């Protein structure tokens, strides 16, 4: 039977392979943020930390913030470069920030038409995509914009209340869970930047696992 140390190494190796093949900058950013959150709280307990541990944690926190900002700048710069040199429209444009703005614009226009309740749950279904000739698009690729498009202002208020509740509960149990509760919520928030993981159509998908945890 493999020791726990070897199992830990195998798990890390498999996770790195998954990150590489995913080729998702959002996944890389989420992994970096979640790792540092768990690292900062892994030795914290109800009695707190000694002075030396606090100093180490502060240094690590500042380093993680700097690394996240740097990664965000790299992501933003790469998207701008791709968007500038990409002359093709359509599915290929989804890999760039410029491609997403088209989807965001269409979704936002539906929100403007009915700001209170939005377009409804059929937003970006087959008929809607066919109307705009964007059969490859299945969502708004941003949870806030997706919610505004489908549920309007009432939906957005509900999303903010739900997200705030998740964050408060995560912070309440952050010490007991050694950072895991906060990391899993931050993972959901970061995922919401480029995807719409809270869509009702995903209640039976793997994104729902985060809520169950």
């Amino acid at each position: 039977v493999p020791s726990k140390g070897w199992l830990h190494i195998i798990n890390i190796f498999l996770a790195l392979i998954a990150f590489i093949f995913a080729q998702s900058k959002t996944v890389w950013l989420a992994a970096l943020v979640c790792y540092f959150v768990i690292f900062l709280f892994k030795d914290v307990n109800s009695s707190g930390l000694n002075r030396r541990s606090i100093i180490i944690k502060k240094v690590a926190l500042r380093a993680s913030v700097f690394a996240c900002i740097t990664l965000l700048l790299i992501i933003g710069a790469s998207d701008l470069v791709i968007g500038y040199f990409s002359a093709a429209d359509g599915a290929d444009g989804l890999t760039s920030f410029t491609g997403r703005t088209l989807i965001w614009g269409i979704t936002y226009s539906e929100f403007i038409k009915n700001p209170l309740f939005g377009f409804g749950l059929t937003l970006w279904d087959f008929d809607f995509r066919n109307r705009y000739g964007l059969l490859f698009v299945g969502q708004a690729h941003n949870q806030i914009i997706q919610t505004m498009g489908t549920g309007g202002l009432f939906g957005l208020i509900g999303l903010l209340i739900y997200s705030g509740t998740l964050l408060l509960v995560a912070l309440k149990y952050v010490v007991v869970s050694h950072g895991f509760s906060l990391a899993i919520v931050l993972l959901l928030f970061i995922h919401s930047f480029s995807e719409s993981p809270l869509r009702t159509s995903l209640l039976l998908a793997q994104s729902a696992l985060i809520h169950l945890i």
Side-chain angles (χ1 to χ4, degrees):
V1 179
S3 64
K4 290 185 178 180
W6 277 107
L7 288 176
H8 186 63
I9 294 175
I10 293 174
N11 289 334
I12 294 177
F13 177 73
L14 293 176
L16 290 176
I17 292 178
F19 290 150
I20 293 174
F21 280 99
Q23 296 183 350
S24 171
K25 289 168 288 188
T26 303
V27 171
W28 300 339
L29 176 61
L32 181 64
V33 171
C34 292
Y35 170 80
F36 277 108
V37 168
I38 294 176
F39 171 76
L40 291 173
F41 289 96
K42 70 175 183 177
D43 297 325
V44 180
N45 51 46
S46 58
S47 61
L49 292 167
N50 57 44
R51 182 176 179 83
R52 181 179 179 183
S53 297
I54 292 175
I55 295 175
I56 294 175
K57 298 297 183 181
K58 285 183 177 180
V59 172
L61 177 60
R62 292 171 183 173
S64 63
V65 171
F66 175 79
C68 290
I69 293 175
T70 302
L71 184 58
L72 284 173
L73 291 175
I74 294 175
I75 292 173
S78 63
D79 281 339
L80 288 175
V81 171
I82 293 174
Y84 180 80
F85 287 103
S86 177
D89 294 327
D92 293 336
L94 288 177
T95 60
S96 68
F97 178 81
T98 305
R100 287 192 177 95
T101 56
L102 172 62
I103 302 171
W104 295 343
I106 295 174
T107 306
Y108 184 75
S109 66
E110 297 299 332
F111 162 73
I112 293 299
K113 295 177 183 177
N114 191 350
L116 292 181
F117 301 102
F119 182 86
L121 298 179
T122 56
L123 181 70
W124 292 115
D125 64 0
F126 179 79
D127 293 333
F128 186 89
R129 287 177 284 169
N130 189 48
R131 184 198 310 173
Y132 289 95
L134 299 173
L135 297 179
F136 47 84
V137 179
Q139 54 164 309
H141 287 277
N142 180 281
Q143 184 59 60
I144 293 179
I145 297 178
Q146 175 76 24
T147 302
M148 291 171 62
T150 57
L153 290 177
F154 284 103
L156 180 60
I157 292 173
L159 174 66
L160 294 177
I161 293 175
Y162 180 68
S163 301
T165 302
L166 287 179
L167 183 59
L168 289 176
V169 173
L171 291 174
K172 181 179 179 180
Y173 295 101
V174 67
V175 175
V176 177
S177 65
H178 298 288
F180 180 77
S181 62
L182 181 58
I184 201 70
V185 171
L186 291 179
L187 173 62
L188 177 65
F189 288 171
I190 295 174
H191 190 198
S192 298
F193 291 158
S194 60
E195 302 293 333
S196 306
L198 300 180
R199 305 198 313 278
T200 54
S201 60
L202 294 180
L203 291 178
L204 299 178
Q206 66 181 48
S207 298
L209 178 62
I210 295 179
H211 306 280
L212 295 178
I213 293 176

